[in-house]
Coordinates of all heavy atoms in Angstrom, one line a residue:
Chain F
N265 N 38.8 18.3 -18.9 CA 38.9 17.3 -19.9 C 38.0 17.5 -21.1 O 38.1 16.8 -22.1 CB 38.7 15.9 -19.4 CG 39.6 15.6 -18.2 OD1 40.8 15.9 -18.3 ND2 39.1 15.0 -17.1
D268 N 36.0 23.8 -24.7 CA 35.2 25.0 -24.2 C 33.8 24.8 -24.7 O 32.8 25.1 -24.0 CB 35.8 26.2 -24.8 CG 37.0 26.7 -24.0 OD1 37.4 26.0 -23.0 OD2 37.7 27.7 -24.3
L274 N 27.4 21.7 -21.6 CA 27.1 21.0 -20.4 C 26.6 21.8 -19.3 O 25.7 21.6 -18.6 CB 28.3 20.1 -20.0 CG 28.2 19.3 -18.8 CD1 27.0 18.3 -18.8 CD2 29.5 18.5 -18.5
Y288 N 25.8 30.2 0.2 CA 25.6 28.8 0.6 C 25.1 28.7 2.0 O 25.7 29.2 2.9 CB 26.9 28.0 0.4 CG 27.4 27.8 -1.0 CD1 28.3 28.7 -1.5 CD2 26.9 26.8 -1.8 CE1 28.7 28.5 -2.9 CE2 27.3 26.6 -3.0 CZ 28.3 27.4 -3.6 OH 28.7 27.2 -4.9
T295 N 23.4 12.6 14.4 CA 22.4 11.7 15.0 C 23.1 10.8 16.0 O 24.1 10.1 15.7 CB 21.7 10.8 13.9 OG1 21.1 11.7 13.0 CG2 20.7 9.9 14.5
S302 N 24.1 16.3 30.0 CA 23.8 17.6 29.4 C 22.5 17.6 28.7 O 21.9 18.7 28.5 CB 24.9 17.8 28.3 OG 24.7 16.9 27.2
A342 N 27.3 21.5 -6.3 CA 26.8 21.3 -4.9 C 27.0 19.9 -4.4 O 27.3 19.7 -3.2 CB 25.3 21.7 -4.9
Y377 N 23.9 14.7 1.4 CA 24.8 13.5 1.4 C 25.2 13.1 2.8 O 25.5 13.9 3.6 CB 26.1 13.9 0.6 CG 27.1 12.8 0.7 CD1 27.1 11.8 -0.2 CD2 28.2 12.9 1.6 CE1 28.0 10.8 -0.1 CE2 29.2 11.9 1.6 CZ 29.0 10.8 0.8 OH 30.0 9.8 0.8

Side-chain angles (χ1 to χ4, degrees):
Chain F
N265 301 317
D268 282 0
L274 177 57
Y288 289 94
T295 301
S302 65
Y377 174 78

